[in-house]
Amino acid sequence: MSTFTCAFLLVLGTLCATPLLAVSTWVESAQNEDSEFPIHNLPYGVFSTTNDPAPRVGVAIGNEVLDLRACAEEGLIAVDSEIMHALRQPTLNAFMALGPAAWHAVRGELLALLDVKNTSLRDDAVLRERLLLSQSSVSMHLPARIGDYTDFYTCREHAYNCGKVFRPENPLVPAFRHLPMAYHGRASSVVISGTDVIRPWGQVKPPEQEPVHIPTGRLDYEMEMGVFVGTGNAQGAPIAIEDAREHLFGLVILNDWSARDIQKWEIAPLGPFNSKNFATSISPWIVTLDALEPYRVVGPPRQEGDPDTLSYLVGGESMAFDVTVEVFLRSETMREQGLEPVQISRSNLKNLYWTIAQMLTQHSVAGCNLQPGDLFGSGTISGEPQETRGCLLEHSLPGMQKNQLPDGSVRGFLQDGDEVIMRAYAQKEGLPKIGFGECRGIVLPAVERTQNRQQAAVSGAKEF
Ligand code: CA
């Protein structure tokens, strides 16, 4: 980062941070204490309506969505032609590519437009009705065209707990504490919150038997945060850790659905394949790093005996954030009985062994080119006590209790009809709560496959 850029960001950070606390908005629903989308948040998403089915960029404010394309076209926010062009696209990729100066400029314009003292939209009922829409009346879409998706593995407790299942002799692999580990995932099957997930078929090997092709009997979720890349880098030109922040656009909630029985058989030596490539769900609103700045913490955590980190992964601002993540479950029966989802776990993003800046730097260090709209999974966010464990596999280990649901059933792994709901928020004394909304999906039964029916009948989808 240049000295000029550093100075610019420092000044901007000071300008944004201090007065922002006192900012209030004329959008009444955003003034509610419980609102996840106060004026301090302003997350970006892509939406459409029945009347206008063209996907377009919007910002969440209270219970509403502000149509950003229309705001720019109506001249309500003053932006240059490059930003105007980017805001008229059906995805956020072009806006992400413009970098921090453009992101700060639009955020500044939005803070001014929505400020309680600004009358330009507040007092124009016709315009307001057209530009400010109820979130319940719109359909959300993937916020970006995701070129590549990479799933990291950066939580020490998750790595250790899962390692005990897949590699009991060596649960925490030696490289874990030296580099942010990852595998390249599948971008085509990333879906928006609310999309149903069909139980996948896959090859499974029961103990002492030959492999069989059956619907997974060990369907699981993984509670992660997704990281959207803003500006990319040229191939062969790695991103230095000091510059990482300028390339990071924002965060969403991410559910890395996983089929544990398929994973166990296929994973060695190359990593997950069919066990994870069938679906990944994300929440629709991207919370920017500007919004998360007050919740940035010193990190990442280290314990006595941890090795020194190589210098290319050290430096710049800590990109660790105090974000609470929660997982809720609701069975089909609970839905029928009108019962609320029950909380299964709660953990925090700041617990990860590696920060999102270290993930970004590691991803590009060999010369890999990242592109605007690329997506990272943070890795399952977990902990040691059962109530902090971010996937059911970790709830199934020795010493854990089976999760008891209010409808009287117990959960080992996910059953058909189960709905997984993930929520996340940042909260701090004296500051407003910044929410991420939610990421939800219902498990549908595996599709019938005539050629597999006989085999499935013999093997069943029972857990083993
Ligand atoms: Ca994962």
Side-chain angles (χ1 to χ4, degrees), residues 427-444:
Q427 207 165 17
K428 191 173 167 184
E429 187 71 30
L431 290 176
K433 178 178 174 181
I434 298 285
F436 285 77
E438 59 180 30
C439 179
R440 64 170 67 215
I442 294 178
V443 177
L444 297 187

Side-chain angles (χ1 to χ4, degrees), residues 419-431:
E419 183 174 24
V420 179
I421 303 138
M422 298 179 172
R423 297 187 180 131
Y425 54 87
Q427 207 165 17
K428 191 173 167 184
E429 187 71 30
L431 290 176

Side-chain angles (χ1 to χ4, degrees), residues 118-326:
N118 191 320
T119 58
S120 53
L121 183 55
R122 186 190 75 184
D123 292 352
D124 188 330
V126 177
L127 204 54
R128 211 176 55 231
E129 193 172 327
R130 187 158 68 81
L131 270 53
L132 200 59
L133 305 158
S134 164
Q135 283 176 28
S136 60
S137 72
V138 306
S139 300
M140 298 304 296
H141 304 269
L142 285 176
R145 189 184 59 258
I146 301 167
D148 276 299
Y149 161 54
T150 303
D151 194 25
F152 279 87
Y153 185 67
T154 63
C155 177
R156 185 202 301 252
E157 290 80 8
H158 173 71
Y160 186 79
N161 293 336
C162 293
K164 281 195 286 193
V165 178
F166 297 119
R167 291 170 305 278
E169 70 292 348
N170 189 15
L172 196 63
V173 293
F176 181 88
R177 294 184 300 167
H178 292 271
L179 62 99
M181 303 176 76
Y183 69 94
H184 286 115
R186 186 74 196 166
S188 67
S189 53
V190 177
V191 295
I192 198 73
S193 173
T195 308
D196 294 333
V197 171
I198 301 167
R199 180 179 296 275
W201 286 70
Q203 198 173 121
V204 171
K205 188 186 176 309
E208 315 299 327
Q209 291 180 44
E210 289 302 303
V212 291
H213 186 223
I214 58 171
T216 178
R218 293 191 142 208
L219 185 60
D220 201 354
Y221 58 78
E222 287 190 338
M223 173 74 220
E224 306 191 20
M225 295 302 290
V227 182
F228 271 102
V229 174
T231 48
N233 61 300
Q235 193 169 4
I239 298 168
I241 188 91
E242 293 82 3
D243 298 335
R245 182 182 179 134
E246 287 186 87
H247 293 261
L248 292 162
F249 185 74
L251 273 61
V252 292
I253 304 166
L254 185 148
N255 181 352
D256 177 26
W257 302 91
S258 302
R260 302 304 186 187
D261 40 8
I262 300 170
Q263 185 179 358
K264 188 169 186 177
W265 173 230
E266 73 179 7
I267 195 169
L270 295 181
F273 183 36
N274 296 136
S275 56
K276 285 170 181 276
N277 71 6
F278 58 96
T280 305
S281 303
I282 60 170
S283 57
W285 295 110
I286 307 179
V287 177
T288 64
L289 294 197
D290 277 346
L292 288 171
E293 175 62 23
Y295 311 93
R296 201 158 58 79
V297 293
V298 176
R302 289 291 180 268
Q303 297 172 5
E304 201 178 330
D306 285 338
D308 291 340
T309 301
L310 287 174
S311 59
Y312 77 95
L313 287 170
V314 180
E317 292 174 329
S318 164
M319 286 286 105
F321 295 93
D322 183 354
V323 174
T324 301
V325 299
E326 298 173 334

